[in-house]
Amino acid sequence: MNYKYAYLVQFQYLGFRLHGWQKQPNLKTVHFFVDKTLKFVCKGIRCKSVGVGRTDAKVSSTDYYFQLFIDEILDEPFFVEDFNRNSPSDIRVLAVEQLHNEEFNIIQHPKIKEYHYYFSFGEKNHPYCAPFLTGYLDELNVESMKEGARLFEGFHNFKHYCTKPSAETKVERMIDVCKIEENTELSASFFPEKSYVLIIRGSGFLRNQIRLIMGALAELGKGNYDLEFIKKSLRPENSDIDFMKTIAPASGLHLHKVEFKK
């Protein structure tokens, strides 16, 4: 069923209390609250929203999009104001623009995604840190982790960095950037004195891929893995070997930026 107009809506959300983007029975999800707000803001107007992709429970996003199909043209500034006035405090619309390309499909359109995983180590963090970064109690060798992160850059077989891949899953993927830096962007008075961020950038990621990469790097930092272990885990000839899998907690992960290719 066709709609008269289409818009691209940019928004942000804190995912700590939510069960990811996708609607699920009896669970509070981002899509559930987006549609609940739209139902109020666009009362009586036929509309539908489609997200740019899925995120896991407790994962946040500073740059997320949904495509809004609707039967009436929007007063864009009023829509942003009205949506933010009526949406939960952990969801905020930043901008909306009308789409004039009828072929645009938010799911299929080529895009680059950049994820940030924030973490600290060596002490128990203030409880308020829980929605934003993971605190590892062990000491971590960050320099070793930085070296290990660079091994994930390029085209590799990521079968060991995907949860339950099927026979049809394309596990060979390209990662453009994978690096660890000191966190200078996300801050709060209750944050630890020093924290770090894993930055991963690419055109497509597998289920739990980034959390599994972060988990492997944390094990590397603890001394449980070495660099050769990471190298072996990415080689196609080792794809059938049962490697250890450590998945990092979800709340440290943030979808930082989505870029649509022209």
Side-chain angles (χ1 to χ4, degrees):
M1 189 177 293
N2 293 329
Y3 291 80
K4 293 181 179 179
Y5 305 99
Y7 292 85
L8 188 64
V9 183
Q10 181 189 24
F11 73 110
Q12 303 171 318
Y13 62 86
L14 179 66
F16 192 64
R17 74 178 180 105
L18 303 173
H19 290 263
W21 163 260
Q22 189 176 6
K23 287 182 181 177
Q24 300 176 60
N26 303 316
L27 291 177
K28 294 178 180 179
T29 69
V30 184
H31 199 183
F32 168 79
F33 282 113
V34 164
D35 276 2
K36 185 177 181 180
T37 306
L38 286 173
K39 187 176 181 180
F40 184 84
V41 172
C42 305
K43 190 173 183 179
I45 306 171
R46 192 173 64 109
C47 64
K48 181 180 76 170
S49 63
V50 179
V52 72
R54 299 181 182 181
T55 52
D56 293 339
K58 296 190 177 183
V59 173
S60 300
S61 180
T62 56
D63 187 41
Y64 198 86
Y65 294 83
F66 67 85
Q67 190 170 357
L68 174 63
F69 301 92
I70 191 166
D71 277 345
E72 289 189 12
I73 200 162
L74 294 179
D75 178 334
E76 295 173 15
F78 178 78
F79 174 83
V80 172
E81 180 182 352
D82 202 24
F83 190 99
N84 287 335
R85 186 181 299 276
N86 292 285
S87 62
S89 59
D90 44 9
I91 295 176
R92 177 176 73 153
V93 163
L94 299 175
V96 57
E97 64 171 301
Q98 187 174 357
L99 294 168
H100 299 285
N101 179 4
E102 294 182 0
E103 302 300 319
F104 181 86
N105 182 306
I106 195 169
I107 296 175
Q108 297 178 358
H109 192 89
K111 61 187 76 72
I112 297 291
K113 292 182 179 179
E114 181 174 307
Y115 284 88
H116 288 187
Y117 193 101
Y118 296 91
F119 67 97
S120 62
F121 65 89
E123 62 179 348
K124 181 85 170 186
N125 285 336
H126 191 292
Y128 289 4
C129 294
F132 308 108
L133 75 158
T134 295
Y136 291 97
L137 298 183
D138 305 87
E139 289 294 325
L140 299 180
N141 184 333
V142 176
E143 293 307 312
S144 179
M145 292 173 68
K146 288 180 179 179
E147 194 173 348
R150 289 193 291 269
L151 297 176
F152 290 99
E153 291 185 344
F155 189 78
H156 300 290
N157 185 304
F158 287 99
K159 183 178 179 181
H160 298 301
Y161 298 92
C162 176
T163 299
K164 297 180 180 179
S166 68
E168 292 75 35
T169 302
K170 295 180 180 179
V171 294
E172 292 187 334
R173 299 291 176 103
M174 178 74 181
I175 288 183
D176 301 318
V177 174
C178 188
K179 60 183 179 179
I180 290 176
E181 299 178 347
E182 188 171 334
N183 168 36
T184 58
E185 182 174 12
L186 200 62
S187 63
S189 61
F190 48 82
F191 269 27
E193 184 176 341
K194 185 175 288 189
S195 58
Y196 298 86
V197 56
L198 168 68
I199 299 171
I200 298 185
R201 184 178 172 89
S203 58
F205 295 96
L206 298 162
R207 184 183 179 190
N208 289 330
Q209 182 179 356
I210 296 168
R211 291 171 61 195
L212 285 162
I213 289 174
M214 181 62 213
L217 291 173
E219 294 298 329
L220 177 66
K222 295 174 187 177
N224 296 331
Y225 294 172
D226 58 20
L227 292 173
E228 189 58 33
F229 180 93
I230 302 294
K231 292 176 184 177
K232 286 181 179 179
S233 72
L234 293 168
R235 291 173 185 155
E237 63 268 24
N238 296 326
S239 63
D240 293 330
I241 298 176
D242 187 21
F243 278 82
M244 295 167 56
K245 290 187 176 182
T246 302
I247 187 165
S251 56
L253 183 59
H254 303 248
L255 176 53
H256 181 74
K257 190 170 183 60
V258 178
E259 295 178 9
F260 293 96
K261 296 181 180 179
K262 295 182 179 179

